[in-house]
């Protein structure tokens, strides 16, 4: 009969020891497939242990499928097809986590990282505590797929005051970042649609479309934005644009082009416009531009915005405003999804907006970015290259364009910047097949935490 | 020359008033397309206002594209193609937000809502405050696409202690809910793959696949889980299973079937297994079953788990453990994505796990659910239907099966329950084409906040 020496038990309990022994013997074939095991009673007696211990052991082995029982016949070893082998795991550092890599450059003008010193920690912490105290029941309730009504109401109010948009909270869908919402929109509008992104543009957007395996064209822009002829030529159904402030060119789409696009979109039921309004809060002069969404009468514009630019990129809250017909589609097709933003963050943000803190924060940040921008431009204008540098599209958003006179060698200039620790992106990098006209242009993000270093580095260009 | 009566200005600033007047006239055609506007100086003189006001107005109108300027010629009205019309918005209550609907039933045995009274608010609040104070800089840093290293390390430790799994933090990918991770996996494994889900099964999983427009088959199960022959027959590439505790049947997949599946998966490079271990923490008797992931030597098993069952469904944190080869793919294909979980939640959860609070919480919840289960079963056994009811698969997870003797009319019984305010799902509801063998079975979730009401309602069945 099956016997194991209890001397080898070590610190295991009797039950654990027995379980491991039998399991091992079944796996290595010592106990053959379909071999009968001793009855509980006789096994216990043989080992000098209690029947309950054997019972527990058999019961666990049975749950895991190592043994099976036949009524009135007893217990048998299961037929394990493969043999167990120790799995080789990758070494801790085997897999490089590229995104973890520390940035080695001093003055990174390509970073979109938020400056942690500007986040309203005190207010946020205060509101969080309030939410935790006052909303315990609501915090544990599953919100609708589109997000909590509180946050959707707060966003609707904000859009009214800040963008002159009249939208109902039902039209608002909250999600964990715009990248997530792009994916959700593909599920809503269809994988069979042809999507279009601006060329040049923010490369992540095209990556999201490609990664969802949908057709995605790069739509060339002229001075007013994407060209309608290009949309027609590429048979684009859904165009993803940022008319309020295009990245990286800084173009604000004029009203005439807006109406051209609205006319294009309304002429086929499969067409839609995604209006990505990612940094409209940071316009420095004049009134903000009215959104396409607010002049759209054909219910064809999906408005999208995010709190990652205004608050922090590590708070993953974005939202979209759907036209009424798509709201219905959303609930019937995608209403089964759980909202991806924790209720906790949603309630805190709702209080933050509702209490007027968000508006104050935006105003404070706008001033701060204005100052940062001016000091970077000032440093550029007092540099030895000053007369060869032109600053463009500086009135909106969190970056500007810099044009070098064509008699400077761009490569040489970039190398000089690099030697001073300045990282900067040429405009060409944002193009699919960059045209000659994009040469000598550079994109300067000046909002990052290392802004002082940027100014300092510019001053030290020799 | 263009003249507007300042009497009508109201509370607007001069600049705003002028802007609105000109914009309106361009939109309604009073100022024709390409018509020349007065020069700034003459217009200011004519209106009796300062040149700067006109300058600001023109500048804003130009940014928005209502007017344009030609060098040395002056300003002209743009050619606006469409006319602006007031957009009709849906009424507040026009769009029904179905998910918002209040549940009208007293004792809902279909709900998976967490009981807010069980959430460890005090500990969570304490850790949150700590994170806010000590981690301000880290909170504002963009984490890698897979999540913060802190949380990944904490999860790796947890998996080691709790599931006997040896995984490196690099293999762990954190995301805002399993539904989100399913979508991410489709992007990783391919839209051209054929996916398979368990039949019967949790209907949301199939919905996610369908919604991503990939082929998805319902794989029939026998008593040991999904059948390998069915996988072969349907040409399934990726099978999505919950071997530790199947929902809703409660089946624990025996080791023999596990090895059959591992043998199936390793025989083609396109094949993968998604092991959804959604409620393994709540096993009531015996040791938890070792995961498929830990006996997989071919690097073909993707392990997935969530904190929505153990903590709260409103905390959207789930994770998957990728085999090493897929970790590399993930970073090259999807490394551009931002992690969808706020850093704040990630750090708090990492402290919660690292501080041993998570283990304590699970133990507490296991006991609580055990008690809840017993009281529901007890109520069933003291009911007038007691001798006609059998309770099955009650040793694991957060639900059990109830079988009615075939001489009770299921419809009649369901109606009786309904009249007592009890909502319960027949097993058939989880099948695509339910077999006769599923008749008379019902699924009872007993963990919800209204558990007392369930017991009470059962006691009142007449």
């Amino acid at each position: 009969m099956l016997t194991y020496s209890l001397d080898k038990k070590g610190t295991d309990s009797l039950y654990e020891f027995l379980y491991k022994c039998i399991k091992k013997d079944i796996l290595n074939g010592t106990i053959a497939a379909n071999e009968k095991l001793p009855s509980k009673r006789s096994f216990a007696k043989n080992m000098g242990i209690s029947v309950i211990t054997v019972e527990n052991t058999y019961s666990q082995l049975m749950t895991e499928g190592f043994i099976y029982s036949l009524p009135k016949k007893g217990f048998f070893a299961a037929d394990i097809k493969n043999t167990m082998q120790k799995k080789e795991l990758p070494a801790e550092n085997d897999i490089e986590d590229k995104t973890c890599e520390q940035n080695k450059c001093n003055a990174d003008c390509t970073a979109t990282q938020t400056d942690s010193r500007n986040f309203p920690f005190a207010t946020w912490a205060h509101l969080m505590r309030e939410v935790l105290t006052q909303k315990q029941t609501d915090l544990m309730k599953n919100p609708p797929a589109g997000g909590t009504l509180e946050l959707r109401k707060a966003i609707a109010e904000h859009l009214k005051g800040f963008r002159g948009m009249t939208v109902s909270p039902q039209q608002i869908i909250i999600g964990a970042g715009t990248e997530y919402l792009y994916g959700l929109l593909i599920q809503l509008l269809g994988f069979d649609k042809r999507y279009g992104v601006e060329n040049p543009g923010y490369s992540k957007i095209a990556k999201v479309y490609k990664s969802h395996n949908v057709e995605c064209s790069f739509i060339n822009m002229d001075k007013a934005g994407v060209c309608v002829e290009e949309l027609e030529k590429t048979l684009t159904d859904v165009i993803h644009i940022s008319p309020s402030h295009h990245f990286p060119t800084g173009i604000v789409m004029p009203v005439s082009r807006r109406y051209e696009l609205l006319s294009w979109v309304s002429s086929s039921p499969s067409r839609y416009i995604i209006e990505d309004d990612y940094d409209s809060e940071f316009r420095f002069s004049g009134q903000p531009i009215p959104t396409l969404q607010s002049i759209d009468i054909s219910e064809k514009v999906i408005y999208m915005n995010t709190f990652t630019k205004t608050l922090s990129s590590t708070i993953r809250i974005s939202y979209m405003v759907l036209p009424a017909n798509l709201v219905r589609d959303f609930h019937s097709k995608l209403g089964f999804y759980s909202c991806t933003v924790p209720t906790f963050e949603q309630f805190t943000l709702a209080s933050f907006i509702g209490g007027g803190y968000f508006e104050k924060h935006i105003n404070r940040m706008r001033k701060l970015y204005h100052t940062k921008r001016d000091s970077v431009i000032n440093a550029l204008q007092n540099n030895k290259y000053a007369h060869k540098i032109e600053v463009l599209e500086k009135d909106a958003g969190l970056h500007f364009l810099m044009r070098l006179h064509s008699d400077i060698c761009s490569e040489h200039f970039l190398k000089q910047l690099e030697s001073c620790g300045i990282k900067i992106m040429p405009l060409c990098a944002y193009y699919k097949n960059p045209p000659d006209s994009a040469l000598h242009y550079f994109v300067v993000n000046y909002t990052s935490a290392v802004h002082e270093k940027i100014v300092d580095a510019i001053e030290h260009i020799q």
Side-chain angles (χ1 to χ4, degrees), chain A:
Chain A
M1 184 184 301
L2 210 56
T3 312
Y4 301 104
S5 161
L6 295 179
D7 300 348
K8 291 177 185 157
K9 189 173 81 68
T11 57
D12 279 349
S13 71
L14 264 176
Y15 153 75
E16 282 172 331
F17 174 69
L18 213 57
Y19 162 81
K20 284 181 188 167
C21 291
I22 302 178
K23 179 173 157 181
K24 193 171 147 236
D25 281 355
I26 291 175
L27 283 172
N28 64 23
T30 309
I31 303 175
N34 306 314
E35 186 178 326
K36 190 175 185 305
L37 270 76
S39 78
K40 287 183 271 186
R41 198 164 299 267
S42 58
F43 193 26
K45 203 173 164 189
N46 179 46
M47 294 279 295
I49 58 179
S50 81
V51 178
I52 290 175
T53 304
V54 180
E55 225 167 54
N56 286 342
T57 308
Y58 278 15
S59 156
Q60 178 72 25
L61 287 166
M62 223 160 68
T63 327
E64 295 187 20
F66 287 102
I67 64 174
Y68 61 93
S69 79
L70 294 176
K72 296 184 185 165
K73 287 197 172 165
F75 296 90
F76 299 84
D79 183 9
I80 309 296
K81 284 200 174 172
N82 296 21
T83 50
M84 207 164 191
Q85 275 178 258
K86 200 166 160 43
K87 191 183 144 199
E88 270 177 59
L89 274 159
E92 273 289 309
N93 298 319
D94 192 27
I95 305 141
E96 193 191 353
D97 204 340
K98 281 178 195 163
T99 45
C100 267
E101 210 184 325
Q102 278 301 314
N103 203 321
K104 272 142 204 134
C105 129
N106 280 329
D108 190 351
C109 295
T110 67
T112 54
Q113 185 78 60
T114 330
D115 187 344
S116 67
R117 291 167 298 180
N118 300 327
F119 185 78
F121 271 111
T123 311
W124 196 259
H126 165 71
L127 294 175
M128 280 202 332
R129 277 195 293 273
E130 236 177 52
V131 166
L132 258 181
T133 320
Q134 297 166 3
K135 297 258 182 193
Q136 299 210 345
T137 312
D138 290 337
L139 276 174
M140 295 294 123
K141 261 188 214 152
N142 290 335
T148 64
L149 195 59
E150 280 81 354
L151 181 53
R152 293 152 97 186
K153 275 184 180 168
I155 290 174
E157 277 300 307
H158 167 72
L159 287 176
K160 197 173 177 182
F162 217 81
R163 292 302 255 142
M165 287 163 69
T166 315
V167 306
S168 127
Q170 283 97 328
Q171 293 176 264
I172 297 174
I173 309 291
I174 290 155
T178 43
E179 295 164 13
Y180 168 72
L181 290 176
Y182 302 160
L184 210 56
L185 268 183
I186 298 171
Q187 294 178 54
L188 182 63
L189 302 178
F191 283 80
D192 55 339
K193 298 283 182 300
R194 287 161 194 263
Y195 293 79
V197 294
E198 295 164 319
N199 185 33
Y202 190 51
S203 64
K204 259 198 184 185
I205 299 172
K207 280 185 189 166
V208 174
Y209 288 113
K210 298 272 178 198
S211 170
H212 278 82
N213 204 36
V214 293
E215 276 194 55
C216 176
S217 311
F218 292 86
I219 309 296
N220 293 327
M221 295 175 69
D222 60 18
K223 280 180 182 171
V226 290
C227 304
V228 173
E229 306 79 60
E230 292 270 331
L231 294 176
E232 303 273 11
K233 209 169 69 188
T234 52
L235 303 174
T236 294
D237 294 304
V238 184
I239 178 70
H240 191 127
I241 51 174
S242 43
S244 298
H245 182 231
H246 176 256
F247 182 85
T249 66
I251 289 175
V252 177
M253 187 182 283
V255 173
S256 48
R257 178 62 53 86
R258 290 175 190 232
Y259 280 106
E260 264 185 80
L261 279 173
L262 288 177
S263 154
W264 166 82
V265 80
S266 63
S267 65
S268 160
S270 71
R271 290 179 180 168
Y272 280 96
I273 294 173
I274 301 173
E275 178 179 27
D276 209 333
D277 203 30
Y278 71 102
D279 73 351
S280 61
E281 289 83 359
F282 295 119
R283 215 178 148 64
F284 296 133
S285 58
Q287 292 189 328
I289 314 302
T291 60
L292 255 182
Q293 195 274 349
S294 48
I295 55 170
D296 163 39
I297 52 167
S298 54
E299 304 212 336
K300 290 292 210 164
V301 174
I302 297 148
Y303 175 88
M304 205 175 258
N305 207 335
T306 179
F307 294 95
T308 57
K309 287 277 170 190
T310 41
L311 273 172
S312 156
S313 50
T314 60
I315 289 184
R316 305 302 304 166
I317 312 184
S318 301
Y319 62 93
M320 53 186 178
V321 179
L322 297 177
N325 59 331
L326 283 184
V327 172
R328 287 177 205 107
D329 277 11
F330 178 84
H331 285 294
S332 65
K333 279 192 200 168
L334 306 175
F336 71 89
Y337 273 119
S338 302
C339 182
T340 43
V341 179
T343 48
F344 190 68
E345 245 82 9
Q346 293 194 46
F347 283 117
T348 308
L349 180 56
S351 301
F352 191 76
I353 299 172
Y357 303 109
F358 184 52
E359 207 184 320
K360 272 183 212 155
H361 177 69
I362 290 176
N363 289 335
R364 197 169 68 89
M365 294 307 285
R366 199 190 287 124
K367 273 182 208 150
L368 184 78
Y369 288 150
H370 205 158
T371 313
K372 282 193 174 191
R373 184 199 65 174
D374 287 351
S375 66
V376 172
I377 292 177
N378 193 45
L380 282 171
Q381 284 168 347
N382 287 310
N383 182 273
K384 73 171 229 188
Y385 285 104
H387 60 293
K388 307 212 162 186
I389 287 173
E390 191 184 351
V391 172
L392 300 150
E393 304 293 352
K394 61 184 166 51
D395 278 348
L398 309 176
H399 71 277
F400 59 76
L401 286 187
M402 179 170 85
R403 185 169 66 187
L404 290 190
H405 276 214
S406 51
D407 59 348
I408 305 184
C409 167
S410 291
E411 281 76 28
H412 178 70
F413 183 70
L414 274 183
K415 271 192 186 149
Q416 277 209 308
L417 291 182
E418 211 175 287
S419 69
C420 301
I422 303 178
K423 198 171 148 194
I424 197 169
M425 284 292 251
L427 182 58
C428 291
Y430 298 95
Y431 274 95
K432 177 103 178 167
N433 310 320
D436 288 348
S437 61
L439 288 170
H440 306 293
Y441 281 87
F442 297 87
V443 181
V444 185
N445 286 325
Y446 51 82
T447 58
S448 79
V450 291
H451 151 262
E452 292 88 346
K453 288 184 189 159
I454 298 178
V455 172
D456 189 56
I458 292 171
E459 282 166 358
H460 284 85
I461 296 176
Q462 292 303 321

